[in-house]
Amino acid sequence: MSEYTFSVIIPAHNEEKYIGKCLQAVKSAAKYVGDAKTEIIVVANRCTDKTVAIARHYGAKVVINEEKCIAAIRNAGVREAKGEIIVTIDADSLMTKYSLCEIKFLLDSGNYVGGGTNPKFDRMSVGIAFSSAYVAMNLIPIMMKNGGYLSGAMFWLYKRDFDAIGGFDETLVSLEDMDFAVRLKKLGDKRGQKYGTLKRSYILTSSRKFDEFGDWYLIKNRSLTKRIFSGKDREAADEFYYDVR
């Protein structure tokens, strides 16, 4: 039996503005799971700010990583994990207080292989709403091909099942979350288990991409958006993800 029930994996690239609140939210959620122990692993990716110091201040284990691939960054954190249940969340997002409790309940039922979570932006505008709808329209064909809507944002599953599907695909520099969800669902289908979405809980995520690029950026730059959706366009991924901040 592992010492920890949960390992929460948080990739972080220069996240001093957000990481403290993210870690506080995880610690708050950990209070609602009784005797279940939670470890927090922050994967500090090419950080030049105070991210590492803040993470250690909150008692998180810090893993240093220099790769420009979010799949590899998350996998690096999971390799260090000792928990039975893996939860992944981004550093600019906040899990709600019953998140870990709900995850444990669903996995303990045996009916779920794992799943994701619905996100809410910390601010909304007409541009963000239309941009989100545009992104969804581009993802619908992929979703329908693989059995319908699959939530992401904050993944949760047993570590043994993370290992069984090979973790996140490190050949992808974007869209790795959709690929991960599809493979997890297929594992569940083989076992007669469902791919779940948390109902009571959600994550509050920052709108910083819109703050940085503009609320209409994804629509105004549709060619870049489509390149990001290919999953393997390094230049597009660098421009929108890895070389920002």
Side-chain angles (χ1 to χ4, degrees), residues 14-58:
N14 287 345
E15 299 286 5
E16 63 181 9
K17 181 178 178 181
Y18 299 97
I19 189 69
K21 292 179 181 179
C22 177
L23 294 170
Q24 286 178 330
V26 175
K27 285 180 168 289
S28 177
K31 296 177 181 178
Y32 291 88
V33 287
D35 295 331
K37 294 184 65 177
T38 301
E39 68 168 349
I40 304 174
I41 299 174
V42 173
V43 187
N45 178 251
R46 300 176 295 124
C47 290
T48 57
D49 65 355
K50 298 177 182 177
T51 295
V52 171
I54 296 171
R56 287 175 174 155
H57 172 76
Y58 281 93

Side-chain angles (χ1 to χ4, degrees), residues 5-7 83-87 103-104 107 156-159:
T5 300
F6 293 99
S7 292
E84 296 176 63
I85 297 171
I86 297 296
V87 180
I103 288 168
K104 190 173 186 302
L107 288 176
W156 46 275
L157 71 166
Y158 284 115
K159 186 175 187 297

Side-chain angles (χ1 to χ4, degrees), residues 180-206:
F180 184 85
V182 168
R183 288 185 288 114
L184 182 58
K185 181 181 183 297
K186 288 180 179 178
L187 178 64
D189 289 343
K190 290 180 182 178
R191 299 175 176 172
Q193 293 176 305
K194 293 180 273 188
Y195 182 99
T197 300
L198 300 186
K199 302 300 184 185
R200 185 178 187 182
S201 307
Y202 60 93
I203 66 166
L204 185 68
T205 191
S206 80

Side-chain angles (χ1 to χ4, degrees), residues 101-132:
C101 182
E102 186 174 359
I103 288 168
K104 190 173 186 302
F105 175 80
L106 293 178
L107 288 176
D108 282 351
S109 74
N111 296 323
Y112 295 88
V113 68
T117 316
N118 286 319
K120 297 181 180 181
F121 286 114
D122 61 4
R123 74 172 178 87
M124 184 51 68
S125 71
V126 174
I128 292 176
F130 272 88
S131 295
S132 298

